[in-house]
Amino acid sequence: PTDVGVEYPIDFGVAQQGVVDKSAVEIIDRFETAAEKAGVEYASEIVTCNVARAPARLAYHARHADITFMGQPDPEEEDTGFHETLLDGVLFASGRPVYTVPYIGRPNMKIRKAVIAWDGGKKAARALNDALPLLKDRAEVIVLVVNPEERASAHGENPGADIAAHLERHGIKTSIDRQYFSDLSAGTVILNYLTEAGADLLVMGAYGHSRLRERAFGGVTNTIMNQMTVPVLMSE
């Protein structure tokens, strides 16, 4: 309460904590019911801490798991800013991949088509490696290269071919699609491509620029995270 320069009455704080505690219990109940129905082994825990420490606490737990599943912050919700800090905390401090589900829900999961946003960089390579277990059962995997001439030194003579060969050595059959646009941002091209291809998963590296620059001037990651329509697996 003192963060805003006002001391709230003690009763207010107690009542607010009661609402939060009740919500946490309800969410845990829903999770456990779904896990039991699916026959999935699980463990659950409610962590209580200061709001400012929540991203670090979540990153700590994420660090001890293979992957973290999170929901895209809903811009219509009052606590969008808090959810964004949680997502940033896990993505940049856990060292683990993050699978983000759009707040509008998942598409038809029978599609099983994945798109890899490949720019030849180390973050894209990290995301691709983290996604391998999720790519092996896909009906189709597409390596999407946007304006490869802008990063010619990272792609080699045949953009996308080397990483496609790497995937095929893992038993993942892929196709390569190179898109050339001078009037659209890479983020917009990727979003449009996902819709046109009917994909149900995007794999990409996070933040090609600093987070501050991304937020101030925009960028591929910022565009995708704000406008995603399919789940996104991202690594930093």
Side-chain angles (χ1 to χ4, degrees):
T2 55
D3 291 343
V4 294
V6 177
E7 284 286 356
Y8 288 115
I10 294 178
D11 291 346
F12 178 84
V14 172
Q16 183 185 41
Q17 187 62 49
V19 171
V20 172
D21 291 343
K22 181 181 178 182
S23 176
V25 171
E26 291 175 349
I27 292 171
I28 287 290
D29 287 343
R30 288 170 56 192
F31 164 73
E32 292 182 344
T33 298
E36 289 174 0
K37 183 178 180 180
V40 176
E41 183 179 348
Y42 69 90
S44 59
E45 178 183 357
I46 296 177
V47 177
T48 301
C49 68
N50 182 282
V51 171
R53 297 188 60 191
R57 291 290 293 165
L58 188 55
Y60 169 81
H61 286 282
R63 200 170 297 129
H64 300 88
D66 294 315
I67 191 171
T68 300
F69 291 84
M70 298 191 69
Q72 176 196 23
D74 185 343
E76 301 298 324
E77 295 290 338
E78 294 182 358
D79 52 0
T80 297
F82 175 62
H83 287 160
E84 288 180 344
T85 61
L86 287 179
L87 185 56
D88 278 0
V90 173
L91 185 58
F92 294 101
S94 70
R96 299 290 191 174
V98 178
Y99 183 105
T100 307
V101 180
Y103 67 84
I104 61 174
R106 297 181 301 175
N108 184 353
M109 298 307 288
K110 295 180 180 180
I111 301 171
R112 311 303 293 169
K113 180 187 292 188
V115 171
I116 300 167
W118 181 250
D119 65 359
K122 64 178 183 180
K123 294 183 180 181
R126 170 71 182 276
L128 177 60
N129 183 72
D130 288 336
L132 286 177
L134 299 180
L135 298 176
K136 290 186 176 181
D137 65 343
R138 297 276 158 175
E140 186 175 358
V141 175
I142 303 170
V143 175
L144 174 64
V145 186
V146 179
N147 296 333
E149 72 281 357
E150 296 180 359
R151 291 174 56 87
S153 61
H155 287 298
E157 295 182 1
N158 193 2
D162 290 332
I163 200 63
H166 170 70
L167 287 169
E168 292 190 1
R169 285 193 288 270
H170 280 275
I172 302 170
K173 188 175 181 179
T174 66
S175 60
I176 305 168
D177 198 341
R178 304 179 188 95
Q179 297 284 315
Y180 299 85
F181 289 90
S182 60
D183 57 342
L184 295 175
S185 68
T188 299
V189 172
I190 293 171
L191 288 170
N192 291 342
Y193 189 89
L194 291 170
T195 300
E196 294 170 2
D200 68 336
L201 175 67
L202 171 66
V203 177
M204 63 178 288
Y207 292 95
H209 304 295
S210 69
R211 295 167 61 191
L212 179 61
R213 184 177 176 184
E214 281 273 349
R215 289 173 182 267
F217 303 107
V220 177
T221 309
N222 195 46
T223 298
I224 298 298
M225 295 307 289
N226 286 332
Q227 303 178 43
M228 68 170 65
T229 54
V230 303
V232 178
L233 186 143
M234 192 176 296
S235 299
E236 198 276 334

